[in-house]
Amino acid sequence: SEEEESEEEDSEEEDKPKTKTVTKTVAEWKLLNDNKAIWLKTPSEVTEEEYMKFYKAVSKTEEEPLTYSHFKAEGDVEFKAILYIPPTAPYDLFDNYYAKAAALKLYVRRVFISDEFDDLVPKYLSFLKGIVDSDTLPLNVSREMLQQHSSLKTIKKKLVRKALDMIRKIAEEKPEDDEEEKKEGEADEAEEKKSEDKETKYEKFWKAFGKAIKLGIIEDASNRTRLAKLLRFYTSQSEDKLTSLEEYVSRMKEGQTHIYYLAGASMDDVKGSPFLEKLLKEGFEVIYFTDPIDEYTMQNLTEFDDKRFANASKEDLSMGEKGKKQQEREKAIKDEFKPLTKWWKSALGANNAGNIDSVKVSTRLSTSPC
């Protein structure tokens, strides 16, 4: 009957166990990146492509660096670092120079600390990019206390040495084309000229960061000798190609005791100066200074390889040892023309409202009439 069927259905429903829905959150960790940080690997474990990729990530550009250095420092202070030299300088590199922060990222035991830590490298090396990871610096201190930590000075010293060594190596590199030509020995004139005209890696560096090296000469007395070897200039014997001080010294005349230089607003001004005449006639090479910072640099770099620098515009310029007879001859000429020089000073002074300081007999001119 219908009643019996209904009772059976009710009995079945009563027999079913009562349940309820419970929401439960389950945490599950998944390792997304099991790769070791590039700076923690040994250089032999890292490919060129990985170094380039890492630089682009650090610099946020698509350019490739001029060069890089990956090293590990051990001893009292331990740290790992990768340093890069960018191919070009930022447009504002020397604007607000002393307020600009360094571009190196500082990590302590793989924990990121800062990407604007000024005490890692001196200001003149602030163009370097890369990363420094120290195992020696403390992790649980303030940034101010970290800046005064004794280990930081040692890290800075080692980073500067490594950076200058990296720059020195590209300065010593020879163009690849030149090496291939030497091996093959069969390049034609057009290819040779192309090789000569091709800008070397160090010439690119000097064009971008040469002023930084000069600032280093002024600011970093402890590394002044190393920095001096990185300087490049145009000279009277190398007007189209940059030359080093070491190359200048190797070309010095026998008995030459000074490195001669002359400063001016441009190459044309310097090359046209009458102060060069006697020096060039005697066969002396003269360095051309056309950057305003050059003369400030020379105030801090008084000699190189035991050869003192001499400004070609100075009145008492020495061109080697003078014999006693030559000194007596020059004195006799000055005495002979003393009345004339005195008259010229008086005549010129009257017409120029006292702007003439002195009129002297010169032994420095060879082609100019006066």
Side-chain angles (χ1 to χ4, degrees):
S1 66
E2 292 182 1
E3 289 181 1
E4 289 177 352
E5 290 178 0
S6 177
E7 286 177 3
E8 287 178 4
E9 288 177 1
D10 292 340
S11 176
E12 288 177 2
E13 289 178 0
E14 288 175 2
D15 293 340
K16 288 182 180 178
K18 293 182 179 180
T19 60
K20 65 177 181 178
T21 303
V22 178
T23 303
K24 186 179 180 181
T25 303
V26 178
E28 185 177 307
W29 293 97
K30 185 177 181 182
L31 184 62
L32 297 176
N33 183 7
D34 60 353
N35 291 329
K36 200 176 182 181
I38 186 174
W39 63 89
L40 299 179
K41 299 178 181 179
T42 61
S44 60
E45 294 177 314
V46 187
T47 65
E48 187 77 7
E49 185 181 353
E50 287 176 312
Y51 281 123
M52 297 302 109
K53 190 176 179 180
F54 185 66
Y55 172 76
K56 291 174 183 179
V58 169
S59 64
K60 298 180 176 63
T61 67
E62 289 302 314
E63 298 178 310
E64 291 191 352
L66 278 178
T67 189
Y68 60 86
S69 178
H70 181 186
F71 60 94
K72 177 182 179 181
E74 296 179 328
D76 295 336
V77 176
E78 294 188 359
F79 67 92
K80 303 170 186 68
I82 302 179
L83 302 179
Y84 292 95
I85 296 179
T88 55
Y91 71 93
D92 61 344
L93 178 62
F94 300 107
D95 296 343
N96 205 12
Y97 173 71
Y98 290 102
K100 194 176 292 296
L104 293 179
K105 297 181 184 293
L106 174 64
Y107 283 69
V108 174
R109 300 170 202 168
R110 273 65 70 198
V111 177
F112 176 70
I113 303 298
S114 174
D115 56 359
E116 292 185 351
F117 205 79
D118 291 335
D119 295 292
L120 284 174
V121 289
K123 289 295 181 184
Y124 70 92
L125 290 176
S126 62
F127 60 84
L128 293 172
K129 296 187 183 296
I131 188 169
V132 178
D133 188 348
S134 170
D135 292 326
T136 309
L137 293 171
L139 190 57
N140 56 342
V141 295
S142 66
R143 177 170 172 168
E144 288 72 22
M145 290 182 67
L146 194 60
Q147 287 175 319
Q148 297 176 14
H149 198 275
S150 58
S151 297
L152 202 59
K153 290 184 179 179
T154 306
I155 292 174
K156 182 177 181 178
K157 184 177 179 181
K158 290 186 177 182
L159 286 174
V160 171
R161 294 284 176 88
K162 283 291 185 179
L164 295 183
D165 189 51
M166 176 170 57
I167 297 170
R168 177 189 59 79
K169 285 179 180 177
I170 63 171
E172 293 174 353
E173 281 182 13
K174 294 180 179 179
E176 293 179 7
D177 290 350
D178 287 352
E179 291 297 316
E180 289 174 4
E181 284 174 13
K182 284 179 182 178
K183 289 176 183 178
E184 294 173 4
E186 51 183 16
D188 58 30
E189 292 182 6
E191 287 176 340
E192 287 178 9
K193 190 174 189 307
K194 184 179 178 181
S195 176
E196 290 173 2
D197 293 341
K198 186 178 179 180
E199 195 174 41
T200 65
K201 191 181 288 187
Y202 193 72
E203 285 170 342
K204 291 177 183 176
F205 168 83
W206 186 256
K207 187 182 291 184
F209 305 109
K211 186 172 287 187
I213 300 300
K214 294 174 186 178
L215 285 166
I217 295 283
I218 297 170
E219 298 171 6
D220 192 354
S222 61
N223 287 298
R224 198 163 282 157
T225 302
R226 290 183 179 86
L227 287 162
K229 293 179 180 180
L230 302 175
L231 291 171
R232 295 292 184 272
F233 303 103
Y234 292 107
T235 73
S236 56
Q237 293 184 21
S238 182
E239 295 182 355
D240 301 318
K241 186 179 179 182
L242 290 166
T243 191
S244 67
L245 291 174
E246 288 175 306
E247 290 170 328
Y248 177 100
V249 170
S250 70
R251 296 193 292 260
M252 286 175 63
K253 289 181 61 179
E254 187 177 348
Q256 182 179 341
T257 57
H258 290 79
I259 298 172
Y260 299 108
Y261 69 87
L262 185 63
S266 67
M267 283 282 283
D268 290 337
D269 286 348
V270 177
K271 288 193 285 187
S273 172
F275 289 118
L276 288 179
E277 292 179 11
K278 187 68 179 289
L279 285 166
L280 298 184
K281 185 179 179 181
E282 296 292 330
F284 293 108
E285 184 175 8
V286 182
I287 297 173
Y288 296 153
F289 286 167
T290 56
D291 189 337
I293 199 176
D294 287 337
E295 288 190 274
Y296 294 103
T297 303
M298 287 302 106
Q299 291 174 13
N300 294 274
L301 186 67
T302 56
E303 63 178 42
F304 179 82
D305 199 16
D306 296 328
K307 305 289 190 298
R308 295 190 65 81
F309 287 92
N311 190 342
S313 65
K314 295 293 183 183
E315 179 187 346
D316 57 348
L317 182 69
S318 171
M319 297 187 196
E321 296 294 329
K322 291 182 180 180
K324 188 176 180 180
K325 287 186 178 180
Q326 185 180 355
Q327 291 178 353
E328 291 175 351
R329 180 172 173 273
E330 288 181 4
K331 186 178 182 302
I333 292 173
K334 288 179 180 179
D335 291 340
E336 180 183 352
F337 287 95
K338 193 170 184 179
L340 178 62
T341 56
K342 188 176 180 181
W343 176 84
W344 264 114
K345 181 180 178 182
S346 176
L348 292 172
N351 294 328
N352 290 275
N355 290 332
I356 302 300
D357 182 60
S358 64
V359 177
K360 297 181 179 181
V361 175
S362 174
T363 59
R364 300 279 301 280
L365 303 177
S366 60
T367 57
S368 298
C370 63

